[in-house]
Amino acid sequence: AQKVTQAQTEISVVEKEDVTLDCVYETRDTTYYLFWYKQPPSGELVFLIRRNSFDEQNEISGRYSWNFQKSTSSFNFTITASQVVDSAVYFCALSVLRDGQNFVFGPGTRLSVLP
Amino acid sequence: DVKVTQSSRYLVKRTGEKVFLECVQDMDHENMFWYRQDPGLGLRLIYFSYDVKMKEKGDIPEGYSVSREKKERFSLILESASTNQTSMYLCASSEGDTYNEQFFGPGTRLTVL
């Protein structure tokens, strides 16, 4: 069975601090996809990134970066120079390539960026 | 831009009532999903559909049913609402393979009294 763990339930930082959100996943499949979604206070989840299991390159998009390490089954998300607008709940998710639906979300990490 | 809309943002129903939650997407996506979101549990899949009139159970289908008569519309039905179904319900859609990026609606917060 697939599982996603986000050990940090809530994180608070002061604006301009860097913050890393942890994600650890479990799967026996060799082909899978990892995702991060952001859920701002308005409620609508917004897609941030998708990585497949064969691409371990780290990715940077502006202030956001992602570190994918298969050796530790982790897909961590770092926000550099955080801003108040980054305050949201962030979900990590895992999808495997097989018949039928298999899309598992973690419990989420609530990030509060204080001015 | 993909747009997924849900019929209500807030809904209050009484125990035993039949409840319909509607979801419409405008991008001709094959796949549609219903999740419920509860604090500390993340999103849990109730049902999904990969084509018109097709449906598959997710992780927590008990107490729910779904209907997909048209490609753009996916309905979640609570046959007899119970208080433990008080939750945030999220609809999503995606194209092609079911592991592709999902686009979410704003959610319906359902309270069952």
Side-chain angles (χ1 to χ4, degrees):
Chain A
Q2 279 62 238
K3 184 178 179 181
V4 176
T5 302
Q6 295 178 256
Q8 305 146 310
T9 304
E10 294 192 34
I11 301 175
S12 286
V13 298
V14 177
E15 206 170 16
K16 297 184 183 175
E17 284 185 4
D18 298 347
V19 58
T20 296
L21 310 181
D22 297 333
C23 172
V24 174
Y25 61 93
E26 295 177 29
T27 180
R28 292 181 181 177
D29 291 71
T30 56
T31 302
Y32 52 88
Y33 292 81
L34 295 163
F35 301 77
W36 276 96
Y37 284 85
K38 173 183 179 180
Q39 186 179 39
S42 60
E44 195 166 321
L45 271 80
V46 176
F47 167 81
L48 295 178
I49 190 172
R50 183 182 83 165
R51 303 294 286 181
N52 72 54
S53 53
F54 299 107
D55 183 1
E56 283 194 74
Q57 278 193 344
N58 292 333
E59 179 147 346
I60 298 175
S61 176
R63 296 183 297 107
Y64 295 171
S65 63
W66 291 269
N67 184 297
F68 176 28
Q69 292 196 340
K70 287 177 77 169
S71 61
T72 56
S73 297
S74 65
F75 186 44
N76 297 336
F77 173 31
T78 297
I79 302 174
T80 303
S82 59
Q83 299 177 2
V84 173
V85 294
D86 296 327
S87 296
V89 181
Y90 291 86
F91 292 96
C92 181
L94 165 70
S95 182
V96 298
L97 196 66
R98 64 168 65 170
D99 292 338
Q101 172 61 17
N102 212 312
F103 210 106
V104 177
F105 282 82
T109 297
R110 180 177 297 278
L111 173 65
S112 298
V113 181
L114 307 174
Chain B
D1 275 356
V2 175
K3 194 157 181 68
V4 180
T5 57
Q6 295 183 229
S7 50
S8 307
R9 288 301 303 269
Y10 300 93
L11 207 54
V12 179
K13 295 291 181 181
R14 296 206 174 274
T15 301
E17 281 192 75
K18 191 169 185 175
V19 182
F20 292 87
L21 302 182
E22 303 285 338
C23 175
V24 177
Q25 51 95 3
D26 66 359
M27 283 301 290
D28 203 37
H29 283 174
E30 293 86 353
N31 311 306
M32 296 188 75
F33 309 82
W34 275 107
Y35 295 89
R36 64 176 282 176
Q37 180 181 3
D38 300 289
L41 297 177
L43 279 68
R44 292 179 293 166
L45 182 65
I46 305 172
Y47 269 97
F48 73 98
S49 168
Y50 53 88
D51 202 352
V52 175
K53 296 191 186 295
M54 306 302 288
K55 60 184 179 183
E56 294 282 344
K57 292 181 180 179
D59 299 320
I60 51 165
E62 296 77 20
Y64 304 94
S65 62
V66 290
S67 172
R68 192 167 181 199
E69 297 296 319
K70 294 184 178 181
K71 192 174 185 180
E72 68 271 18
R73 188 179 297 269
F74 192 34
S75 302
L76 180 69
I77 303 154
L78 287 66
E79 295 290 342
S80 178
S82 63
T83 54
N84 62 14
Q85 292 178 310
T86 291
S87 186
M88 171 70 87
Y89 290 88
L90 296 171
C91 176
S93 71
S94 71
E95 62 177 344
D97 294 308
T98 54
Y99 52 81
N100 283 333
E101 167 195 353
Q102 295 184 15
F103 295 84
F104 284 82
T108 295
R109 184 165 295 282
L110 172 67
T111 301
V112 182
L113 301 176

